[in-house]
Amino acid sequence: MIAVVPSWNSPPQNPTLDIGSIHVWRVSLAQTQSCLQSLQQTLSTDEQTKAQRFHFPKDRSQFIVSRGALRAILSRYLHINPSLLRFDCNPYGKPSLIASQNGDTLRFNLSHSRGITLIAITKNRDIGIDIEGINPKFPCLEIAEKFFTPLESYVLRSLSEHLQPTAFFTCWTRKEAYIKAVGKGLSIPLNQFEVSLVPGEPAALLNIEGNPEEASRWSLIELIPSSDMVGAIAVELCCWKLHCWQWTGEF
């Protein structure tokens, strides 16, 4: 799939998901104190307890905004008060809505980095999203040797030095998006499947060890949130239409 550089549009009040559509919402984690208080009131008791465990106020605030915005956004699709939404987690920790609140139909995933959260939403198929800031000083080759496949490490080493950080985080976000979509997290070793990683080349899930036909079930979409970040969406099936919204802090 080609890279998508989104135009973050103002969202409709009552968004509608067509079959095959993907909606991605961008949420700034820096919100006003009044917005923060309103979001906190919608959180469950468990979520509020988790928020209080953060030592630093900034981390606590970002958790509240991320979880509160997720509730506010999902409530637009379901026409349910955000505070009434209930979530389950699978054995690997992937969250979903409970079945009675369309958890079997409305699927979502989220990721955050450098002060923003992206929330991906679709219908009737699994989805995963991951974003990372590009760190030019990160030990890319060393980490790739430990976690990537031999082919991915070889391709990374073959690139010019100035491209290696972007290629590394491109590879990492695609792998993370896939394992989040499958819903098994790091129980799937990152070196047991291969993705494309060369900047400018199409995003693709190339091979899954021991199950080569599985790769054809998934689409990878490269998402570029900003000039110093990379991201990816993994979604079942190949038909998709992407809409990108900027959450404005409204319920």
Side-chain angles (χ1 to χ4, degrees):
M1 297 293 181
I2 62 173
V4 177
V5 182
S7 295
W8 301 99
N9 301 310
S10 297
Q13 184 60 41
N14 297 302
T16 301
L17 269 172
D18 300 323
I19 297 298
S21 291
I22 300 169
H23 291 184
V24 177
W25 294 72
R26 183 174 67 176
V27 177
S28 170
L29 296 179
Q31 296 291 331
T32 64
Q33 190 63 32
S34 61
C35 179
L36 185 66
Q37 291 173 351
S38 296
L39 292 174
Q40 187 169 9
Q41 292 173 4
T42 69
L43 301 186
S44 68
T45 301
D46 286 346
E47 288 170 329
Q48 296 200 35
T49 300
K50 288 180 181 178
Q52 293 307 313
R53 290 176 183 159
F54 287 96
H55 179 72
F56 296 106
K58 180 180 178 182
D59 296 333
R60 186 182 310 121
S61 296
Q62 290 191 347
F63 174 83
I64 292 170
V65 172
S66 184
R67 295 295 298 191
L70 173 66
R71 286 177 170 274
I73 290 166
L74 291 176
S75 72
R76 292 193 181 195
Y77 295 88
L78 299 171
H79 308 292
I80 298 174
N81 187 294
S83 64
L84 299 179
L85 294 176
R86 296 291 178 263
F87 299 94
D88 281 331
C89 284
N90 75 3
Y92 301 92
K94 183 178 182 180
S96 62
L97 289 161
I98 61 173
S100 62
Q101 293 180 342
N102 286 345
D104 294 333
T105 302
L106 195 68
R107 312 288 181 85
F108 68 90
N109 198 235
L110 68 162
S111 180
H112 58 84
S113 180
R114 294 190 177 177
I116 66 169
T117 287
L118 294 188
I119 300 170
I121 303 174
T122 192
K123 289 177 66 174
N124 299 321
R125 53 186 179 161
D126 289 322
I127 191 167
I129 188 169
D130 193 63
I131 55 171
E132 299 287 346
I134 300 170
N135 181 357
K137 297 182 179 180
F138 193 78
C140 300
L141 298 181
E142 178 184 342
I143 301 301
E145 289 291 336
K146 293 181 179 179
F147 294 103
F148 292 176
T149 69
L151 176 60
E152 290 166 340
S153 294
Y154 171 79
V155 172
L156 185 63
R157 289 195 307 272
S158 71
L159 295 174
S160 60
E161 187 173 343
H162 79 280
L163 286 178
Q164 286 175 355
T166 299
F168 174 87
F169 287 103
T170 294
C171 186
W172 188 271
T173 54
R174 292 175 186 179
K175 285 176 172 288
E176 284 283 328
Y178 170 69
I179 64 174
K180 290 172 73 176
V182 173
K184 295 184 178 180
L186 289 174
S187 69
I188 302 176
L190 296 180
N191 62 4
Q192 289 190 3
F193 63 97
E194 287 176 344
V195 299
S196 60
L197 58 92
V198 177
E201 293 187 357
L205 179 58
L206 301 175
N207 183 51
I208 298 174
E209 184 178 307
N211 192 0
E213 295 181 357
E214 173 71 3
S216 64
R217 290 185 52 236
W218 297 89
S219 294
L220 284 181
I221 305 164
E222 181 178 17
L223 192 66
I224 304 175
S226 65
S227 61
D228 62 346
M229 301 183 75
V230 291
I233 300 169
V235 64
E236 284 186 292
L237 309 176
C238 62
C239 296
W240 55 272
K241 184 176 181 181
L242 187 65
H243 299 274
C244 296
W245 312 118
Q246 175 70 43
W247 186 65
T248 58
E250 298 177 356
F251 289 82

